[in-house]
């Protein structure tokens, strides 16, 4: 077995630790961003489960968009906080036991892909279904949520 020795000049030897530090900070920054993004969505979900619309809106930008994908079409359900407030009032009135949880998630910058399990109770029987949702954030607030068709978990 032949071992090759690479000789580095002094400036290269000084640069390698800085390069390693840079790479480490990039990974740490990405992990922190993913945590902040997931924390914001978890806070939104906690407010949703409490049916606390005002607390839900604290996690949103003023012009938050709520989209639904159905039949290969993107439908804008709401385009601001006021419309979202009204939609959530109607939703919770129609589904007084609605609740949801994050089953899995993946973050990429300010975007969080989530598999949500939504629960509902009807005639004393609890059922659930799962859906993919995409949360996009800007400056730490949710600016859009896109829900895809639900399926059995």
């Amino acid at each position: 077995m032949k071992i090759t020795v690479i000789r580095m000049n002094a400036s290269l030897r000084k640069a390698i630790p800085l390069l390693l530090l840079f790479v480490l900070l990039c990974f740490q920054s990405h992990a922190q961003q993913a945590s902040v993004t997931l924390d914001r969505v978890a806070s939104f979900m906690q407010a949703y489960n409490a049916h606390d619309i005002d607390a839900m809106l604290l996690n949103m930008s003023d012009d938050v968009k709520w989209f639904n994908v159905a039949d290969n079409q993107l439908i804008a359900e709401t385009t601001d906080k006021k419309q979202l407030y009204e939609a959530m009032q109607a939703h919770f009135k129609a589904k007084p036991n609605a609740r949801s949880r994050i089953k899995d998630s993946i973050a990429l910058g300010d975007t969080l892909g989530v598999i949500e399990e939504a629960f509902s109770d009807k005639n004393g029987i609890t059922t659930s279904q799962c859906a993919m949702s995409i949360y996009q954030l800007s400056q730490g607030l949710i600016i859009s949520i896109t829900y895809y068709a639900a399926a059995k978990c």
Side-chain angles (χ1 to χ4, degrees):
M1 174 193 319
K2 183 178 178 182
I3 298 176
T4 304
V5 176
I6 299 173
R7 299 202 186 272
M8 293 185 268
N9 64 28
S11 59
L12 186 57
R13 276 193 298 259
K14 289 178 184 176
I16 288 179
L18 292 175
L19 180 61
L20 292 174
L21 179 61
F22 174 76
V23 169
L24 178 64
L25 289 175
C26 286
F27 282 120
Q28 183 179 13
S29 175
H30 176 71
Q32 288 172 342
Q33 177 62 37
S35 176
V36 168
T37 302
L38 182 57
D39 289 348
R40 176 62 70 184
V41 173
S43 176
F44 167 79
M45 189 84 57
Q46 183 178 16
Y48 173 88
N49 288 336
H51 296 199
D52 185 345
I53 301 170
D54 290 323
M56 289 171 63
L57 296 180
L58 290 175
N59 295 287
M60 309 285 191
S61 68
D62 289 337
D63 59 347
V64 63
K65 309 288 188 281
W66 191 292
F67 297 104
N68 189 16
V69 177
D71 298 322
N72 291 324
Q73 291 186 324
L74 184 63
I75 301 162
E77 300 287 338
T78 67
T79 58
D80 61 27
K81 277 186 173 180
K82 182 178 184 272
Q83 289 180 358
L84 182 57
Y85 186 92
E86 293 167 356
M88 287 295 100
Q89 281 183 315
H91 174 73
F92 291 137
K93 185 176 181 181
K95 298 182 178 188
N97 297 313
R99 63 193 184 285
S100 190
R101 74 179 181 107
I102 298 172
K103 284 188 68 127
D104 201 0
S105 66
I106 184 168
L108 180 61
D110 285 333
T111 302
L112 185 72
V114 174
I115 297 174
E116 291 184 35
E117 183 173 15
F119 300 89
S120 60
D121 298 321
K122 189 173 184 179
N123 300 325
I125 298 172
T126 300
T127 59
S128 72
Q129 59 184 11
C130 289
M132 173 66 75
S133 55
I134 307 295
Y135 291 81
Q136 292 182 299
L137 285 78
S138 178
Q139 298 177 352
L141 294 174
I142 299 168
I143 59 171
S144 73
I145 304 171
T146 304
Y147 282 98
Y148 292 81
K152 185 177 172 97
C153 294

